[in-house]
Amino acid sequence: LVIPLPAIPDSLINFAINNALRDVDIDHRTTITSYNATLTNFDDTQLPEETYFSFSVWDSDNPDIYEQSQIYVGRALTIEDSGQPLIVVPYEDAQEYGIQLGSNITLSMERTDNIKLEVVGIIAESDGIPSLTGSSALVPPDVIPARESAEFTLYTLQVPEASLNQALAELSSVIIVFSLDVSFLDSLISNLIDQFAAIPTIVGLLSLFSAAIIMANTVALSTLERRRQLGILKAIGLKSRRILAIMLIESSIIGLLSAIIGIGVSALVIALLSASGGFTIPLPTDARLTAVVLVIVSVIIGGIATFLNMRVAIGERVMNVLRYE
């Protein structure tokens, strides 16, 4: 990807790039030029004077350059459409202005009026990361007069892997452009995404650890507060094993209900946010398995904490417990 400095003529940029890469193997060259215009009318519909309309021109020797456009209706542009008064508009613009397949639109630019174009396709609504040119319409090359000034121009070069370092080195000597390897940028973004994706997992593990500590602490305090009750149970004849079994059942039920309530509240909050925000919050495909595991872990933590604390409590003599209480 080659980004030129602003206010530099395109002819000078092209000469500098071609001169720097004269000894480098290049598979395909593409120039992406973005324009702003005024949409004056389409078919018989007259639009206000300040109806701004942006579009891009992809001039390339790659016959598959337009295959990345997901078409909602109609067809995509082809490299054979060069010089033809055609246009492919985004779904958003078609909905906003009422443009349909086969409509004839008229654009006015700074130095040229009444540029008539036929709509041959509508690009599908974007649902992911926008493309390099955003959601602008596409016009074939050699349709817009050369006297019109572009908003910005980008140059993309498809270089063989063996010639990539040479191409970057040669372009680095051109002071009026900035070049970068898109594959490096892609790997950098992927690494950042992977690192950010690990944050929820770390936060979840820390939350689970904190919940385990809180549960164990709560069980320990509850056991200490009920020493008198345990002493009375032993005084009326209940054996230590029976008391331990009762407390384990109690802690298991409390842990089970706590986990179910916690997961239920989380699911309810996600559903309310999805309903109120107008978008769906995606859940992992293994969310049900995770929920079951959390419920089991909650019961196990409660049982272990109860077992460790109850062994000390029920091991004391009845007279000592009742005397201190």
Side-chain angles (χ1 to χ4, degrees), residues 15-16 49 51-52 60 63 122 170 172 182 217 234 245 260 273 275 291:
F15 174 79
E49 296 181 357
T51 305
Y52 295 103
S60 176
I122 297 178
E170 296 293 344
S172 64
V182 177
N217 185 59
K234 293 185 66 176
I260 293 175
L273 290 176

Side-chain angles (χ1 to χ4, degrees), residues 221-300:
L221 293 177
S222 176
T223 303
L224 292 176
E225 293 175 354
R226 300 171 66 179
R227 291 177 64 194
R228 180 179 179 83
Q229 299 178 16
L230 299 178
I232 294 175
L233 291 176
K234 293 185 66 176
I236 62 176
L238 265 69
K239 295 183 179 181
S240 299
R241 292 182 179 180
R242 182 70 177 275
I243 298 175
L244 179 59
I246 294 174
M247 297 304 296
L248 286 175
I249 293 174
E250 178 183 323
S251 64
S252 299
I253 294 175
I254 294 175
L256 178 64
L257 293 177
S258 301
I260 293 175
I261 293 174
I263 295 173
V265 171
S266 300
L268 178 61
V269 170
I270 291 176
L272 292 177
L273 290 176
S274 300
S276 60
F279 59 91
T280 302
I281 300 177
L283 292 176
T285 55
D286 56 348
R288 294 182 180 178
L289 177 61
T290 303
V292 173
V293 171
L294 288 176
V295 171
I296 296 175
V297 169
S298 176
V299 174
I300 292 176

Side-chain angles (χ1 to χ4, degrees), residues 107-278:
L107 301 178
S108 292
M109 302 183 69
E110 185 177 358
R111 299 181 179 90
T112 309
D113 294 330
N114 299 325
I115 302 176
K116 298 183 180 297
L117 304 171
E118 179 187 355
V119 179
V120 295
I122 297 178
I123 304 175
E125 188 175 8
S126 60
D127 55 356
I129 299 177
S131 64
L132 194 62
T133 58
S135 58
S136 63
L138 297 178
V139 175
D142 301 327
V143 174
I144 305 302
R147 62 178 177 271
E148 294 295 341
S149 58
E151 289 297 312
F152 66 88
T153 303
L154 298 176
Y155 302 87
T156 65
L157 306 168
Q158 186 171 334
V159 183
E161 186 69 26
S163 304
L164 179 59
N165 292 333
Q166 181 185 0
L168 291 172
E170 296 293 344
L171 288 172
S172 64
S173 62
V174 182
I175 62 175
I176 58 176
V177 300
F178 172 75
S179 60
L180 57 89
D181 179 14
V182 177
S183 60
F184 168 75
L185 185 63
D186 179 68
S187 62
L188 178 62
I189 294 176
S190 298
N191 290 334
L192 290 176
I193 292 176
D194 292 339
Q195 292 180 9
F196 281 116
I199 293 178
T201 303
I202 296 174
V203 172
L205 292 175
L206 292 176
S207 300
L208 182 61
F209 178 76
S210 301
I213 298 298
I214 293 173
M215 289 177 62
N217 185 59
T218 302
V219 172
L221 293 177
S222 176
T223 303
L224 292 176
E225 293 175 354
R226 300 171 66 179
R227 291 177 64 194
R228 180 179 179 83
Q229 299 178 16
L230 299 178
I232 294 175
L233 291 176
K234 293 185 66 176
I236 62 176
L238 265 69
K239 295 183 179 181
S240 299
R241 292 182 179 180
R242 182 70 177 275
I243 298 175
L244 179 59
I246 294 174
M247 297 304 296
L248 286 175
I249 293 174
E250 178 183 323
S251 64
S252 299
I253 294 175
I254 294 175
L256 178 64
L257 293 177
S258 301
I260 293 175
I261 293 174
I263 295 173
V265 171
S266 300
L268 178 61
V269 170
I270 291 176
L272 292 177
L273 290 176
S274 300
S276 60

